[in-house]
Amino acid sequence: MIRFCTALCLAYLLSVNAHAINIQGDGPTYPRQKGSSQSDPFAGLEHLFSEPKHYVTYFAEQAPDIDGNLDEEVWQQALWTDLFVDIEGDKKPKPAYPTQVKMAWDNEYLYIAAELKEPHVWATLTNHDEVIFFDNDFEVFIDPDNDTHQYFEVEVNALNTIFDLFLTKPYRNNSGALIAWDLHGLKSAVQVQGTLNNPGDTDKGWTVEMAIPFRSVTVGNNALVPDEGTLWRINFSRVQWDVDIVDGKYVKRKGADGKPLPEHNWVWSPQGVINMHYPERWGYLYFSRKPTSESTVTFAMPYAEKQKQYLWLIYYRQKEHFNKYGKYSKSLKELGLKGSKVTVEGQENQLSLEAGTLQFLAAIQGPDGKVWSINENGFVHTIKGLK
């Protein structure tokens, strides 16, 4: 989440966390090796080019009851994701408590099940669209068309209080969230394995179950129901605050300045920066119409995603250049690239760059003739072929 201009604005600005706007610099997406030489144009950005996680979700022959109970057959057959890690990845220690997710789908919903282990489950916020990450929470981020624009976020706490929002583009691109938007038809439920808000006992944790309607995360008139091979970008975040037990109540632990210590941000696919609003860093969700009982599909990174890493490299280098000189560069060489030819998986690709003081458009064309482009807002889409 990020600050928005309402009565909540001040509260947002007082909180410095993974939802914060405009972390210094910007960042891209994958296969760069640690220890890259300075002649490598990706040098210094390796942490932002780790390959995102992926998950294959299979078709549910019978929809689960959304009650927070994960014992149903569909969930027994679905596979868990990897355990969550720190939002910055290997730069920080592993989370203190395990978190993992499962997914399934049918022709109406994406189903999500999450398990959050912790010894003390608490929550305080009860009103829809309150800033739920001020409690411990579980968050879902979805970009169905993988262009980093027009994406969705849902947060939930252990009271099953929902904060849902829509973003036309990331906050870093001078955008804000549409808080009044509601994920129409969302089904959600929480079960606590222990006793909520009781410091006198030790809990096992809490589970979350969601059914997200495809119609409600479709921009346009007709619901875009996935098919075999449909690829979304998705990520999950867990916000965890350090607390002490004071007079029989949970109280956020404070630092020497008297303010609550920064929260922990644990995610499925590491962002590389303390900011969830880098959609290009989210994981890949691959839809298969095979039943959940099979789990036989092997995910392979699409060639276009490997091409796009050069677009993100240009985007982030352009942002660095603009911050330094107040304008965008017209030169690929000035951005650290040796020329307009780059090799992706052994195949030659053509880069191009057009720029003015306040705008730019970079593009890459591979052997299939398809052209992917990116602009100063980080909007990724296809355009006509390069000359």
Side-chain angles (χ1 to χ4, degrees):
M1 258 321 310
I2 293 203
R3 325 307 174 262
F4 54 93
C5 295
T6 64
L8 291 177
C9 184
L10 179 59
Y12 272 47
L13 292 171
L14 291 175
S15 175
V16 180
N17 51 45
H19 307 78
I21 188 167
N22 275 338
I23 304 271
Q24 186 64 34
D26 280 309
T29 352
Y30 29 108
R32 313 315 302 176
Q33 299 298 318
K34 292 182 178 180
S36 299
S37 69
Q38 288 303 308
S39 62
D40 183 346
F42 293 88
L45 296 175
E46 293 88 353
H47 61 293
L48 294 168
F49 277 86
S50 60
E51 185 170 322
K53 302 270 189 178
H54 64 266
Y55 185 92
V56 178
T57 182
Y58 296 93
F59 197 82
E61 296 171 292
Q62 184 172 354
D65 293 326
I66 305 302
D67 57 8
N69 185 341
L70 309 187
D71 292 336
E72 293 175 89
E73 184 175 2
V74 63
W75 295 130
Q76 295 304 306
Q77 294 174 344
L79 301 176
W80 287 114
T81 61
D82 293 336
L83 292 175
F84 284 24
V85 297
D86 187 85
I87 192 170
E88 294 185 88
D90 293 340
K91 289 176 64 176
K92 295 292 178 63
K94 293 181 179 179
Y97 308 123
T99 313
Q100 52 191 349
V101 172
K102 294 183 178 186
M103 285 172 275
W105 67 290
D106 58 23
N107 288 323
E108 291 187 71
Y109 297 96
L110 171 66
Y111 300 105
I112 297 171
E115 181 181 71
L116 301 85
K117 297 291 189 182
E118 60 180 308
H120 292 286
V121 182
W122 62 272
T124 63
L125 302 173
T126 59
N127 295 322
H128 182 81
D129 280 349
E130 287 191 89
V131 186
I132 298 301
F133 67 78
F134 287 157
D135 281 351
N136 290 344
D137 79 352
F138 173 73
E139 305 177 356
V140 183
F141 299 82
I142 296 173
D143 180 8
D145 56 7
N146 189 18
D147 63 2
T148 78
H149 284 43
Q150 297 182 322
Y151 63 89
F152 310 89
E153 178 182 352
V154 186
E155 303 179 7
V156 62
N157 65 6
L159 285 166
N160 195 31
T161 306
I162 296 293
F163 184 18
D164 46 9
L165 52 155
F166 171 78
L167 292 96
T168 57
K169 56 184 177 180
Y171 296 101
R172 67 190 176 197
N173 301 118
N174 300 315
S175 179
L178 183 58
I179 306 302
W181 171 84
D182 288 334
L183 210 171
H184 181 73
L186 170 70
K187 301 177 184 179
S188 68
V190 168
Q191 284 197 10
V192 176
Q193 290 76 55
T195 309
L196 182 66
N197 292 329
N198 182 4
D201 64 4
T202 300
D203 307 314
K204 292 183 178 180
W206 52 298
T207 50
V208 178
E209 209 172 4
M210 287 185 182
I212 296 177
F214 293 121
R215 180 67 188 92
S216 297
V217 291
T218 296
V219 176
N221 292 329
N222 301 312
L224 296 180
V225 178
D227 209 336
E228 182 71 33
T230 295
L231 196 67
W232 281 14
R233 301 303 293 271
I234 194 168
N235 211 352
F236 305 96
S237 173
R238 175 180 179 176
V239 168
Q240 189 77 16
W241 297 88
D242 291 318
V243 296
D244 294 312
I245 298 173
V246 180
D247 296 329
K249 296 181 180 180
Y250 295 114
V251 178
K252 288 180 182 177
R253 190 170 300 161
K254 294 180 174 59
D257 59 0
K259 298 178 181 179
L261 295 175
E263 80 284 8
H264 302 282
N265 297 283
W266 302 332
V267 303
W268 168 50
S269 189
Q271 294 286 107
V273 290
I274 308 175
N275 192 331
M276 286 304 300
H277 291 274
Y278 278 43
E280 71 276 14
R281 296 293 298 143
W282 297 349
Y284 293 95
L285 179 60
Y286 181 100
F287 289 84
S288 173
R289 283 198 170 270
K290 294 181 182 296
T292 53
S293 57
E294 290 195 17
S295 303
T296 57
V297 175
T298 300
F299 176 82
M301 184 67 67
Y303 186 78
E305 296 305 299
K306 299 177 182 180
Q307 292 175 293
K308 289 176 191 176
Q309 66 177 313
Y310 283 96
L311 297 182
W312 285 109
L313 172 65
I314 292 170
Y315 173 86
Y316 294 113
R317 294 304 190 202
Q318 282 283 41
K319 293 300 179 179
E320 292 174 353
H321 191 276
F322 188 88
N323 288 340
K324 187 173 182 179
Y325 299 108
K327 62 181 180 180
Y328 291 116
S329 174
K330 299 179 180 179
S331 165
L332 290 170
K333 185 176 181 181
E334 197 171 30
L335 300 176
L337 289 152
K338 294 180 180 179
S340 61
K341 305 287 187 181
V342 294
T343 301
V344 179
E345 294 289 292
Q347 297 180 302
E348 187 176 272
N349 283 246
Q350 175 74 42
L351 291 174
S352 71
L353 176 63
E354 298 177 5
T357 300
L358 302 177
Q359 297 175 315
F360 74 86
L361 180 74
I364 187 168
Q365 179 173 304
D368 63 355
K370 192 171 186 178
V371 183
W372 290 97
S373 70
I374 194 169
N375 66 9
E376 71 281 352
N377 285 317
F379 179 51
V380 178
H381 64 118
T382 57
I383 59 174
K384 292 182 179 180
L386 304 177
K387 294 181 180 180

